[in-house]
Amino acid sequence: MAKPYSEYGREELLNEKALLEKRYNDFKAKGLTLDMSRGKPGADQLDISNGINTVVHDYIVDGVDYRNYGVLDGIPSCKKLFGDLMGVDAKNVIIGPNASLQLMFDYVSQCFTHGAGSTPWCKLDSVKFLCPVPGYDRHFTICEHFGIEMINIPMNEDGPDMDAVEELVEDESVKGMFCVPRFSNPTGIVYSDAVVERIAALNPAADDFRIIWDNAYCVHEITEDAPKLVNIFDLLPKYSNEDMVIEVCSTSKITFPGAGVSALIASDNNIAAIKKRLNAQTISYDKMNQYRHVLFFKDADGVLEHMKKHAAILKPKFDIVLDTLERELGGKEIAWWHAPKGGYFVSLDVADGCAKRVGELCKEAGVTLTTVGATYPYGLDPHDRNIRIAPSYPPVDELRLAAELLCICVQLAAIEKYL
């Protein structure tokens, strides 16, 4: 194993830098255009769902023509599919548009205009959200859109720092928290049973405190020993917190991101309030698409079997990234990463103050990364160290090149700092 860069003498660092610069310039000469910026399914993943386009042969079910208006909260069979998949009663499921991002945005908007059984948030002097970091940039964008003040919550190996969360929710202006509880974006961490229990047991000062439980990767294992996530809706009644959690999920990374189906799961009270808003917002979402998904999967077990096909495509890509990180950076104490067992990302921490430089070097050599800083609110990584790697989209050959170049850039940025 390589020794830490901190033990290198100046001459050794200069020699290492010269070797790395030669490799880097060789990459630049290839004129690469490689993209690891977003967690999009690759074309081979999209292909395994093509059969969904040919499953519908009838459009009338129980006297309802799915081509027409109506059925505001989703067709019964699709509500049951998601209910079975997520371990809740179908009556607590609303089927939405293709992406759960819209469901999250619309719910926060509803809280701003009409409150959550409370004063509308737009009439308050201050609205704050807790944001586990590193986290999902789209959550931060929603908060910025509404002028919500974001408070960083450090992520531990088992989920968000609950000591910090429990202290901060004593502030009545703290109205919510975003969570990606299974294969968290970008770290891949699965919240432990103990952390989920503490979240369910929260006693916030704000009666209208809401947790957006973004379970985007609920069935997205890439290894057979991936940890499970306890169902928070089984725990909430114990603490009389049934109304505190709004869960969302979708088939965006199961079938087609641009033509999937999303679902929102909530308490009876929250479902009633959301349906009241939906009655003004839409007549119905795409019932034909909902029906296609039901016919294609048949049941929750069908979804899980389908996910095994995704895992077979994704795992080799994750292995390429993780193996390259270990081979190039292992033992040098200039980079740290978590080996996820599911989800869509690898979270890489480089030496403090080096992430932006790594991004610049990668871009100059033809590799596009997620914007450095995007995994923190306002795009401000306080330590300038986190980089989100998205292995899913590039073909294997391109991914291998991109991962090697990334590691070269990490080493160059670290040596520049040491020198």
Side-chain angles (χ1 to χ4, degrees):
M1 179 179 287
K3 69 179 181 180
Y5 273 10
S6 59
E7 297 179 8
Y8 279 48
R10 180 174 178 81
E11 195 64 33
E12 284 182 290
L13 285 173
L14 288 171
N15 289 337
E16 183 77 359
K17 183 170 184 282
L19 292 172
L20 289 165
E21 284 176 338
K22 182 182 185 310
R23 294 174 66 192
Y24 178 75
N25 288 327
D26 287 345
F27 268 101
K28 281 181 67 175
K30 294 177 182 178
L32 301 173
T33 306
L34 308 175
D35 188 353
M36 291 199 297
S37 62
R38 302 300 312 187
K40 299 191 297 186
D44 46 358
Q45 289 179 263
L46 299 177
D47 286 344
I48 65 176
S49 296
N50 283 341
I52 203 169
N53 294 317
T54 59
V55 292
V56 177
H57 303 290
D58 188 13
Y59 315 106
I60 300 175
V61 179
D62 296 331
V64 178
D65 190 333
Y66 286 167
R67 298 170 300 179
N68 217 326
Y69 290 127
V71 194
L72 180 68
D73 57 347
I75 65 174
S77 57
C78 199
K79 285 162 64 80
K80 183 181 187 306
L81 176 66
F82 274 96
D84 291 346
L85 195 64
M86 307 305 290
V88 298
D89 195 300
K91 71 181 177 62
N92 295 108
V93 178
I94 290 174
I95 305 299
N98 70 295
S100 54
L101 178 63
Q102 184 177 332
L103 295 177
M104 292 187 282
F105 181 95
D106 285 348
Y107 184 73
V108 173
S109 179
Q110 175 181 317
C111 291
F112 260 81
T113 58
H114 288 72
S118 61
T119 302
W121 292 357
C122 66
K123 295 185 177 181
L124 301 176
D125 292 333
S126 176
V127 177
K128 303 171 185 173
F129 260 53
L130 308 182
C131 298
V133 293
Y136 180 32
D137 53 328
R138 296 282 188 173
H139 292 160
F140 309 147
T141 300
I142 291 173
C143 289
E144 283 199 73
H145 180 83
F146 288 101
I148 297 172
E149 179 184 340
M150 291 177 275
I151 302 172
N152 292 359
I153 301 293
M155 281 287 283
N156 297 325
E157 287 297 310
D158 61 349
D161 180 345
M162 288 309 299
D163 290 341
V165 171
E166 288 164 352
E167 179 181 347
L168 286 164
V169 297
E170 294 176 6
D171 178 353
E172 192 174 2
S173 67
V174 173
K175 296 297 185 183
M177 177 167 70
F178 277 110
C179 294
V180 182
R182 191 166 196 233
F183 309 127
S184 186
N185 180 351
T187 60
I189 288 168
V190 179
Y191 291 12
S192 69
D193 292 1
V195 164
V196 178
E197 183 91 31
R198 288 177 73 176
I199 291 173
L202 283 173
N203 185 27
D207 291 337
D208 53 352
F209 179 83
R210 291 293 183 268
I211 294 169
I212 309 297
W213 200 248
D214 184 2
N215 210 346
Y217 309 107
C218 53
V219 292
H220 295 65
E221 301 97 345
I222 57 174
T223 66
E224 293 183 357
D225 62 341
K228 304 299 181 185
L229 177 73
V230 68
N231 186 350
I232 196 168
F233 283 96
D234 290 339
L235 302 177
L236 293 170
K238 185 177 9 175
Y239 303 101
S240 300
N241 273 337
E242 293 92 331
D243 294 342
M244 189 173 68
V245 174
I246 304 293
E247 181 174 23
V248 297
C249 59
S250 77
T251 69
S252 288
K253 292 183 174 72
I254 298 175
T255 54
F256 305 134
V261 175
S262 63
L264 181 147
I265 297 155
S267 67
D268 291 346
N269 289 335
N270 283 323
I271 290 290
I274 293 167
K275 286 174 70 173
K276 184 177 180 181
R277 183 250 301 164
L278 282 177
N279 194 52
Q281 182 176 356
T282 186
I283 297 173
S284 65
Y285 290 115
D286 187 343
K287 295 184 295 298
M288 287 294 294
N289 197 28
Q290 295 170 28
Y291 192 38
R292 277 193 290 271
H293 280 74
V294 172
L295 293 176
F296 185 64
F297 290 122
K298 298 182 175 61
D299 53 29
D301 287 340
V303 176
L304 299 180
E305 284 300 313
H306 189 74
M307 294 311 297
K308 292 179 182 177
K309 299 176 184 178
H310 280 288
I313 296 169
L314 284 173
K315 188 175 186 304
K317 293 186 174 184
F318 274 80
D319 287 346
I320 286 170
V321 171
L322 295 170
D323 291 347
T324 305
L325 291 174
E326 184 59 41
R327 183 181 70 250
E328 293 278 346
L329 306 176
K332 295 180 179 178
E333 297 184 2
I334 57 169
W336 301 264
W337 57 92
H338 179 77
K341 296 186 176 182
Y344 261 67
F345 305 102
V346 175
S347 181
L348 175 66
D349 282 338
V350 299
D352 284 8
C354 289
K356 281 190 169 64
R357 179 58 178 154
V358 172
E360 291 169 358
L361 287 166
C362 283
K363 184 176 181 180
E364 188 177 339
V367 171
T368 302
L369 301 174
T370 301
T371 302
V372 175
T375 54
Y376 282 78
Y378 312 108
L380 300 174
D381 177 350
H383 302 287
D384 185 24
R385 67 184 176 202
N386 186 251
I387 295 170
R388 188 181 77 174
I389 304 170
S392 60
Y393 186 68
V396 166
D397 291 343
E398 291 186 6
L399 180 64
R400 191 172 282 110
L401 290 172
E404 182 180 351
L405 178 58
L406 169 63
C407 290
I408 291 170
C409 295
V410 169
Q411 293 171 88
L412 281 172
I415 289 175
E416 288 176 359
K417 178 180 178 181
Y418 277 110
L419 290 173

